[in-house]
Amino acid sequence: MNGLAAAETHPVHVLVVEDNEVDAKLVRLSLLGVSAWDVDFERVGDGEEAVRYLRHQGLYASKVHPDLVVLDLNLPKLDGTEVLRTIRRDPELRNLKVIVLSSSPMDVIEEKVRDSEVQPDCYFTKPLGLDEFLALGATMHRCYLESGGDNQTLGAGV
Amino acid sequence: MEHLPLAVCVCDSEGRTIGFNREAKRFFNAQAAEREFWNILPEADRAGVHGSFAAAVGEKTTGRWTSAIGHSPRFEITFAPMVLPETPAEGVRERLWQVTLRTLPPPTDSHKLWREEGTRARRRAEQEFSFHFQLTRNITEQAVDPIFVVGGRGEIIFCNPEAERVFGWQREELIGRSLHETLHHETGEGDAFPVQQCPLFRAQTTGAVVRGLELIFFHRNGSPIHVSCSNSPLYFEDEEVGAVLIIRNISRQKAIERALAQSEERLRVAVAAAEIGTWDLNLNTGEVSVDEKCRQALYLDAGGKDLVTSWLRAVHPDDRNLAKKQIEAALDLAGDGQFRLECRTLGRSSRRPNGSVHHVQAQGQAFFEETAAGRRPVRLIGTIQDVTGRKHDEDSLLRANNDLQQFAYAAAHDLQEPLRNVVNLLGLYKRNLSGQSLIEGGDLIDASMEDARRMHQMVRDLLSFTNIHQSLDSANSIADANSVLKDVRRNLATIISESGAVIHAYQLPKVRMRPTHLLQLLQNIISNSLKYRRPGLPVEVRISARRRGAEWLMSVADNGIGFDPIYAQKIFGVFKRLHGRAEYPGSGIGLAICARIVHTYSGKIWAEGKMGEGATFFFTLPAATVNGS
């Protein structure tokens, strides 16, 4: 869909589900660092809020529908895997791009994903070190494109 | 003398009299004992009688002598070897002879006729004698038990081949020897056995009848032989001349009995050591026999009649269907009869306080009978074992594993988060210093210090979490919840007075645990109530306790923000939190520590709550006393 008129496009809406403020900031910095990508951000601090946001409940009634969810696994209240399961089993949300970003090692993430019986589009371990974390932005961008996402998206959020 | 009935006496081969019947005693006279019997007869007959007797002895056959005509009265004497089947070896004097004396009618015209009749009668008697002789001989020769005949002094005058075989002596060697001194000279313990103390000898010399007297005899080679003796006096005519002794060799039976007793003892010891009870259900009568251990496992009262019903009543209600099903499966005609059941039992009698739940494991085997009407079960027999201790061990092992997993996860995951934060915050700060500012603000150092502190706190929390296990050895101490609560109030005094909280507690129990553990438990839960309070509402906490069998069920209820019931389990996890740190501070280990403390004392902990309507924490702890409060 590249090449559509600018008037008809909007930035890619990213919902960051992350209880750790420092990590949330770094996700934002790393995605902003990808020059080819036009993104804007919303953040929620636990799994329950994430589900409420995605279903536009309460405070989130007028929020734009995200194109991409960057999901931590170890969250207060609902776990990241439970949020992922909710997304994949909801016909309205099923096709949402989801990138899992957890401080657990890769094998632990894989195990948790397997146990949840649903798949994210990609998953990564949060790297130790600022440069490495910032470099993750490009990787997440590539993952987003490979799973069918666009740099810019047609139409407004629901 | 004319009408003298038959006179009979017994003598040895020298003719010396040993015994008389009543008539013979009268005919000869009392002073005649131990003398050659012919010396009592009229002078004229002595030489003739002596000669005939000596001839009979020499030929070992019966003999006869009739007094000369002219004598009055006339008499006839017959000599016969005693009914002792074997002829003793040459030179053995103890051969006995029966001497019968009868008077004869005076010779008349009918004398000839009388003589012929007498000859017929004598032949009949001889045939009868021969028959009895053969019969006795066959019986004694073929007998499978040793047989002895002893004389009045306890000397052996006869034995059969089995006696030779069992005791390892030749008959010739035994004849004439003392039975007691030869075969019965020691007690079973190897001490000398004086003949005066021998009950068998006493019986043999007093004419008493003995049946089934168990003694220890000895083989010639000295090995003991367990025997059962039957002894009865031997009469000749009316006179006791000795005793017949029949011996049964019961060594084999004794050895089997001993082996059986030993193996029973071994089994009893093994069963006792393994704390196994046994039971045996007779399906024909419906009767169950159980041993003491089984009674204890099912704490049945002694002497219960319908034990199957009693037993099912003892089984935990939730497990009764399973128990019934397993019994039915064992009795299934198509099955292999195997019975196996692991279930819980309930306190019912005075043997255990009510409400205490025990785990038992039973296994058994059903036996079937094939009848004309088909196959049917007749017996179900098996063992039962109280496995409560093992069950608790398994549970605590499971919990320890779970705790270890939680601990490993916490170390791998939760502790990394503040560490990464410190690294990243310092990275951002470094960029700021080099002019490539990514984030505005000078609080990066404060934030990284905050994360470092948080990590420190988490490490300490984890240590106190893992420490709870190591104090288990002091599980015998008693904590008074009332005084522990006082300490909690003192520790939390500042926050209690700041928040205007009111803690209601009535009479609280004494529990069997370390007071420091109860302090941690109550303080963590009450701190939660104070922390998660509803804004603008004074905190109220109610602590109460209720006796449940051997435990106290305690509850701590508050009027705080409550929680969504779906997280009722999750809140007890290590570093699990329902709220962001900014909202409510804390590492999220408080309730995990509470759970670990309660589990350490085999209790249960759970929480009930609703969003915005307060929370109640329940936990069970072992009571300090067995009965009542």
Side-chain angles (χ1 to χ4, degrees):
Chain A
M1 301 253 177
N2 288 342
L4 284 170
E8 292 170 323
T9 65
H10 69 85
V12 173
H13 302 301
V14 179
L15 176 66
V16 179
V17 187
E18 176 60 74
D19 64 325
N20 183 346
E21 280 179 47
V22 179
D23 283 345
K25 278 180 189 157
L26 291 181
V27 168
R28 188 183 152 90
L29 284 175
S30 69
L31 292 184
L32 287 173
V34 182
S35 53
W37 212 5
D38 183 13
V39 284
D40 64 23
F41 296 92
E42 289 287 345
R43 180 204 160 202
V44 289
D46 67 53
E48 226 174 69
E49 292 298 303
V51 171
R52 240 179 256 141
Y53 185 104
L54 292 169
R55 291 184 168 155
H56 305 288
Q57 289 165 343
L59 290 173
Y60 308 107
S62 58
K63 292 284 185 184
V64 291
H65 202 68
D67 305 299
L68 168 66
V69 177
V70 176
L71 183 63
D72 187 16
L73 287 186
N74 191 30
L75 292 167
K77 298 180 186 170
L78 276 188
D79 252 350
T81 50
E82 290 166 276
V83 176
L84 180 61
R85 206 179 296 131
T86 307
I87 291 170
R88 290 297 187 238
R89 291 186 176 164
D90 184 332
E92 302 265 319
L93 304 173
R94 178 176 295 160
N95 296 319
L96 207 49
K97 308 283 174 283
V98 179
I99 293 175
V100 164
L101 193 58
S102 165
S103 44
S104 300
M106 281 304 263
D107 55 337
V108 176
I109 300 176
E110 276 165 21
E111 195 183 310
K112 284 185 175 183
V113 163
R114 197 167 46 242
D115 289 348
S116 76
E117 296 172 335
V118 289
Q119 284 292 323
D121 292 283
C122 309
Y123 46 86
F124 302 104
T125 295
K126 292 172 185 169
L128 186 63
L130 182 62
D131 293 339
E132 291 81 353
F133 208 126
L134 294 178
L136 201 58
T139 316
M140 286 196 277
H141 180 227
R142 201 160 49 245
C143 162
Y144 177 72
L145 293 179
E146 281 167 8
S147 55
D150 295 316
N151 281 337
Q152 292 175 323
T153 305
L154 183 68
V158 181
Chain B
M1 293 279 275
E2 291 287 324
H3 308 291
L4 184 72
L6 221 54
V8 179
C9 74
V10 176
C11 64
D12 61 17
S13 52
E14 302 291 319
R16 283 190 293 261
T17 52
I18 292 169
F20 308 91
N21 77 347
R22 210 173 328 115
E23 310 321 320
K25 229 176 226 166
R26 204 183 304 155
F27 183 82
F28 302 108
N29 64 55
Q31 287 73 37
E34 306 260 331
R35 291 175 57 194
E36 287 87 355
F37 65 89
W38 49 83
N39 288 328
I40 308 153
L41 299 173
E43 190 72 48
D45 296 313
R46 285 180 194 167
V49 171
H50 186 187
S52 300
F53 178 71
V57 169
E59 288 166 27
K60 295 164 188 131
T61 180
T62 53
R64 186 156 60 90
W65 189 87
T66 311
S67 66
I69 295 178
H71 264 299
S72 185
R74 288 183 65 231
F75 54 91
E76 180 192 67
I77 290 182
T78 52
F79 327 109
M82 289 269 293
V83 189
L84 301 175
E86 279 300 297
T87 309
E90 284 306 321
V92 174
R93 280 180 58 239
E94 279 77 3
R95 173 87 194 201
L96 298 182
W97 291 80
Q98 177 184 334
V99 177
T100 313
L101 182 145
R102 62 189 297 171
T103 52
L104 298 172
T108 59
D109 292 345
S110 60
H111 179 65
K112 197 171 175 245
L113 183 68
W114 181 86
R115 273 185 72 110
E116 281 168 4
E117 279 206 351
T119 306
R120 271 200 298 276
R122 199 161 49 245
R123 195 169 298 131
R124 265 203 310 279
E126 277 167 10
Q127 281 170 353
E128 204 173 316
F129 169 78
S130 170
F131 171 76
H132 281 289
F133 178 84
Q134 289 298 330
L135 183 67
T136 312
R137 185 188 164 100
N138 279 341
I139 289 171
T140 56
E141 294 296 293
Q142 302 300 323
V144 294
D145 291 327
I147 300 174
F148 289 94
V149 177
V150 295
R153 298 186 307 278
E155 77 280 16
I156 298 168
I157 54 181
F158 167 76
C159 71
N160 71 345
E162 186 62 15
E164 295 182 298
R165 199 187 63 72
V166 169
F167 296 105
W169 293 84
Q170 293 297 308
R171 196 186 318 224
E172 294 73 26
E173 300 170 301
L174 281 175
I175 299 296
R177 294 182 75 129
S178 155
L179 177 92
H180 180 87
E181 300 303 337
T182 311
L183 303 175
H184 194 203
H185 46 82
E186 276 180 18
T187 64
E189 282 75 45
D191 303 322
F193 195 1
V195 68
Q196 297 83 1
Q197 293 172 16
C198 175
L200 183 60
F201 178 78
R202 207 175 308 130
Q204 285 171 340
T205 49
T206 58
V209 173
V210 166
R211 296 226 175 275
L213 175 67
E214 293 196 3
L215 296 171
I216 297 174
F217 274 35
F218 290 90
H219 188 272
R220 186 176 201 163
N221 65 16
S223 56
I225 299 170
H226 286 265
V227 296
S228 166
C229 299
S230 294
N231 183 76
S232 47
L234 176 66
Y235 289 100
F236 189 75
E237 296 297 326
D238 282 344
E239 207 60 32
E240 189 193 332
V241 294
V244 177
L245 171 65
I246 300 177
I247 286 175
R248 171 143 297 175
N249 181 357
I250 55 170
S251 289
R252 205 174 129 75
Q253 185 187 330
K254 279 279 167 195
I256 292 169
E257 274 175 21
R258 219 170 22 245
L260 198 64
Q262 280 171 357
S263 113
E264 265 181 3
E265 177 65 10
R266 276 198 298 273
L267 183 65
R268 199 189 59 70
V269 168
V271 163
E275 301 275 305
I276 294 173
T278 58
W279 47 268
D280 187 349
L281 167 62
N282 182 334
L283 294 161
N284 287 327
T285 62
E287 276 172 37
V288 189
S289 51
V290 295
D291 69 356
E292 184 54 27
K293 268 278 173 309
C294 180
R295 271 185 216 292
Q296 281 171 9
L298 296 174
Y299 38 91
L300 300 166
D301 292 317
K305 272 182 191 157
D306 190 356
L307 286 173
V308 178
T309 314
S310 315
W311 178 64
L312 275 176
R313 217 178 296 135
V315 171
H316 194 282
D318 295 352
D319 290 349
R320 274 179 207 159
N321 274 337
L322 174 73
K324 277 187 198 153
K325 217 181 285 172
Q326 293 300 96
I327 292 176
E328 280 162 17
L331 302 182
D332 182 4
L333 297 180
D336 59 1
Q338 295 234 355
F339 172 67
R340 208 181 168 85
L341 173 68
E342 203 171 319
C343 70
R344 289 162 294 170
T345 57
L346 276 181
R348 183 179 65 77
S349 75
S350 53
R351 283 166 185 264
R352 271 189 220 144
N354 281 344
S356 66
V357 172
H358 276 237
H359 293 264
V360 298
Q361 197 177 62
Q363 39 199 315
Q365 176 71 49
F367 293 91
F368 299 90
E369 188 181 71
E370 306 292 342
T371 65
R375 190 171 152 92
R376 67 191 186 94
V378 290
R379 194 176 178 197
L380 184 59
I381 180 170
T383 60
I384 190 162
Q385 203 173 1
D386 191 322
V387 293
T388 311
R390 198 175 75 200
K391 207 73 187 170
H392 279 172
D393 292 348
E394 278 173 16
D395 287 353
S396 46
L397 192 63
L398 220 60
R399 268 200 305 275
N401 262 337
N402 185 38
D403 286 348
L404 190 66
Q405 238 164 19
Q406 287 208 35
F407 178 83
Y409 183 85
H413 188 111
D414 300 276
L415 285 178
Q416 278 196 37
E417 195 182 298
L419 180 64
R420 265 190 317 98
N421 282 356
V422 171
V423 172
N424 290 333
L425 286 165
L426 291 177
L428 289 169
Y429 181 66
K430 195 176 157 197
R431 292 233 178 169
N432 280 3
L433 288 182
S434 62
Q436 305 170 284
S437 179
L438 291 169
I439 289 180
E440 295 303 319
D443 58 354
L444 289 172
I445 292 295
D446 285 345
S448 58
M449 279 168 68
E450 175 55 36
D451 272 308
R453 261 196 293 276
R454 183 155 68 91
M455 191 163 64
H456 176 66
Q457 183 61 45
M458 287 169 84
V459 170
R460 277 184 17 181
D461 288 349
L462 267 183
L463 275 179
S464 72
F465 175 79
T466 49
N467 243 345
I468 292 161
H469 243 19
Q470 293 158 4
S471 331
L472 184 59
D473 54 347
S474 46
N476 280 329
S477 36
I478 305 284
D480 180 348
N482 299 296
S483 64
V484 167
L485 182 62
K486 262 184 213 157
D487 295 341
V488 173
R489 283 181 199 270
R490 197 162 42 239
N491 294 348
L492 302 178
T494 314
I495 179 168
I496 288 174
S497 67
E498 275 175 10
S499 60
V502 183
I503 300 173
H504 304 278
Y506 304 100
Q507 196 58 39
L508 295 179
K510 288 190 175 74
V511 288
R512 191 167 293 276
M513 65 191 296
R514 284 188 60 184
T516 50
H517 283 163
L518 185 60
L519 180 80
Q520 272 181 291
L521 177 60
L522 286 177
Q523 189 163 314
N524 273 318
I525 293 177
I526 293 170
S527 299
N528 271 358
S529 296
L530 298 173
K531 191 200 283 184
Y532 299 104
R533 58 177 178 251
R534 260 183 288 175
L537 189 69
V539 178
E540 271 190 64
V541 180
R542 286 174 196 280
I543 307 171
S544 57
R546 195 148 48 88
R547 183 75 186 224
R548 270 204 343 193
E551 298 175 329
W552 282 99
L553 169 62
M554 294 184 68
S555 62
V556 179
D558 65 38
N559 60 345
I561 60 169
F563 60 88
D564 189 328
I566 63 168
Y567 303 123
Q569 279 296 311
K570 192 171 180 174
I571 52 178
F572 294 104
V574 177
F575 297 139
K576 293 296 178 200
R577 302 165 44 85
L578 295 186
H579 304 276
R581 254 180 302 280
E583 261 181 291
Y584 295 99
S587 69
I589 200 151
L591 289 178
I593 286 176
C594 291
R596 192 161 164 125
I597 290 171
V598 172
H599 291 159
T600 297
Y601 296 96
S602 299
K604 289 190 174 67
I605 185 166
W606 68 98
E608 291 173 5
K610 264 188 178 172
M611 291 294 283
E613 289 185 27
T616 306
F617 287 84
F618 298 93
F619 46 91
T620 60
L621 294 171
T625 54
V626 176
N627 295 310
S629 49

